[in-house]
């Protein structure tokens, strides 16, 4: 399965617009494609793809559960925990599930076997299909701080296909790295603004550190701010497409529609983007070999 991750240094650049339109035109051409929404804090691909959800399950991670009748309050569990998620205070052993990283150290070192594992729900994963497109999305529960466990659960539920399009969260932190991990190619979506350029440079540094081949799509390209083009030229970064600042795109977006589904000329634009991505992927393979 060939995996393309759609990422960006900041929110609001058009990741979901690109990823949903890309899977739409790929499916229209008869390709077997899956869309995975890993932006679990704010998944919105479903607003455009309108999937039929066939399964839904809670996800999270395993945290310690102390059995008081067996606990002798030796304190070994607290000593091994680097995050103070479990501590022994006198005759009480306290657990703070929100601080746990599920390393398993506490229940492994407990000499009395007084600690077992229990699932701490952190979110939900949903699977289904949108026409010929396979669909998986995760939703982080309100108040939860760590999204990587939910992102990992989304990726574990991805069905087999020829192509996988991963809609990653914005930024350059752990959730993004978890989302794009294992990708064959990364598309960075940016906009021609000073903020867009600043955050693009951070995203480029991240992808280069991970050694993934990548290219840039400039969204809302009105050429008023030329520094994006100059930066990509200096850094020898391929520009895969320039999507214009077109009112029709904004109108389709506000109505929950994909521009490639309502404007045939844009369907051609996204097919061209796929063709360029495939060409870049092949070039990257040749470069590695």
């Amino acid at each position: 399965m060939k995996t393309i991750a759609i990422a960006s240094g900041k929110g609001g650049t058009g990741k979901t617009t690109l990823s949903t339109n890309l899977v739409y035109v790929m499916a229209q051409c008869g390709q077997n494609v899956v869309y995975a929404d890993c932006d679990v804090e704010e998944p919105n691909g479903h607003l455009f793809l309108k999937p039929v959800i066939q399964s839904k399950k809670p996800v999270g991670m395993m945290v310690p559960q102390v059995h008081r009748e067996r606990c002798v309050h030796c304190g070994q569990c607290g000593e091994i925990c680097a995050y103070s998620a479990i501590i022994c205070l006198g005759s009480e052993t306290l657990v703070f599930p929100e601080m746990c990283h599920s390393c398993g150290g506490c229940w492994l070192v407990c000499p009395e076997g007084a600690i077992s594992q229990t699932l701490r729900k952190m979110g939900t994963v949903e699977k289904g299909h949108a026409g010929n497109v396979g669909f998986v999305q995760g939703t982080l529960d309100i108040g939860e701080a760590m999204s990587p466990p939910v992102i990992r659960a989304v990726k574990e539920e991805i069905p087999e296909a020829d192509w996988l399009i991963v809609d990653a969260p914005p930024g350059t932190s752990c959730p993004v790295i978890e989302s794009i991990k294992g990708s064959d190619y990364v598309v960075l979506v940016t906009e021609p603004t000073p903020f867009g350029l600043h955050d693009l440079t951070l995203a480029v540094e991240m992808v280069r550190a991970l050694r993934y081949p990548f290219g840039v799509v400039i969204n809302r390209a009105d050429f008023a701010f030329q520094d994006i083009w100059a930066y990509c030229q200096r850094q020898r970064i391929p520009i895969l497409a320039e999507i214009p600042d077109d009112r029709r795109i904004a109108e389709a977006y506000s109505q929950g529609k994909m521009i490639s589904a309502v404007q045939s000329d844009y369907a051609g634009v996204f097919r061209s983007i796929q063709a360029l991505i495939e060409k870049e992927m092949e070039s990257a393979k040749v470069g590695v070999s």
Side-chain angles (χ1 to χ4, degrees):
M1 181 163 57
K2 298 176 183 177
T3 301
I4 302 171
I6 313 297
S8 65
K10 65 182 288 293
T13 58
K15 285 186 301 81
T16 299
T17 297
L18 175 60
S19 56
T20 54
N21 279 277
L22 195 56
V23 297
Y24 174 80
V25 298
M26 292 171 77
Q28 289 295 303
C29 293
Q31 299 182 65
N32 184 10
V33 59
V34 172
Y35 170 86
D37 197 339
C38 288
D39 189 1
V40 299
E41 293 185 54
E42 194 177 2
N44 61 355
H46 66 280
L47 298 176
F48 305 95
L49 292 171
K50 299 175 176 55
V52 175
I53 300 300
Q54 297 169 305
S55 66
K56 180 177 180 179
K57 73 175 188 179
V59 296
M61 63 183 185
M62 304 308 290
V63 297
Q65 181 178 26
V66 178
H67 300 278
R68 294 185 177 183
E69 69 278 5
R70 280 183 275 171
C71 181
V72 297
H73 314 293
C74 64
Q76 291 188 45
C77 55
E79 291 174 6
I80 199 172
C81 184
Y83 300 97
S84 300
I86 184 168
I87 59 174
C88 185
L89 293 175
S91 60
E92 288 289 332
T93 300
L94 305 178
V95 177
F96 303 95
E98 295 82 3
M99 301 173 69
C100 179
H101 285 59
S102 197
C103 70
C106 58
W107 54 76
L108 290 174
V109 300
C110 180
E112 303 297 323
I115 301 175
S116 62
Q117 305 176 56
T118 186
L119 178 68
R120 174 172 169 259
K121 181 178 177 294
M122 302 177 69
T124 304
V125 170
E126 296 173 302
K127 288 179 64 177
H129 63 87
N132 296 327
V133 176
F135 181 91
V136 187
Q137 76 169 6
T139 305
L140 188 70
D141 285 351
I142 294 173
E144 290 293 338
M146 291 191 293
S147 60
V150 180
I151 294 171
R152 283 193 290 271
V154 170
K155 298 179 79 173
E156 288 170 1
E157 293 295 324
I158 293 169
E160 281 300 316
D162 295 329
W163 290 92
L164 168 63
I165 306 299
V166 175
D167 192 347
T172 56
S173 58
C174 295
V176 184
I177 294 172
E178 188 64 48
S179 299
I180 69 174
K181 188 186 297 180
S183 297
D184 297 297
Y185 196 82
V186 179
V187 179
L188 299 177
V189 186
T190 189
E191 59 186 9
T193 64
F195 284 124
L197 175 59
H198 175 270
D199 292 335
L200 174 63
T201 60
L202 299 178
V204 167
E205 290 175 8
M206 173 194 68
V207 178
R208 281 180 169 164
L210 295 172
R211 299 182 181 275
Y212 291 141
F214 70 99
V216 167
V217 168
I218 303 175
N219 192 27
R220 293 187 286 273
D222 60 4
F223 301 96
F225 182 79
Q226 295 285 329
D227 292 19
I228 289 281
W229 283 267
Y231 169 77
C232 290
Q233 185 176 28
R234 288 196 308 271
Q235 294 292 320
R236 297 183 179 179
I237 300 170
I239 297 177
L240 304 171
E242 299 166 1
I243 301 174
D245 189 12
D246 189 338
R247 182 184 176 91
R248 293 178 298 168
I249 300 176
E251 289 176 349
Y253 187 92
S254 67
Q255 296 167 12
K257 298 178 181 177
M258 291 175 289
I259 188 64
S260 57
V262 296
Q263 296 288 340
S264 59
D265 54 332
Y266 275 105
V269 169
F270 289 101
R271 279 193 288 268
S272 297
I273 293 174
Q274 184 201 353
L276 282 172
I277 291 173
E278 290 189 62
K279 183 178 178 181
E280 289 291 323
M281 290 171 66
E282 288 301 319
S283 298
K285 286 182 181 179
V286 171
V288 170
S289 61

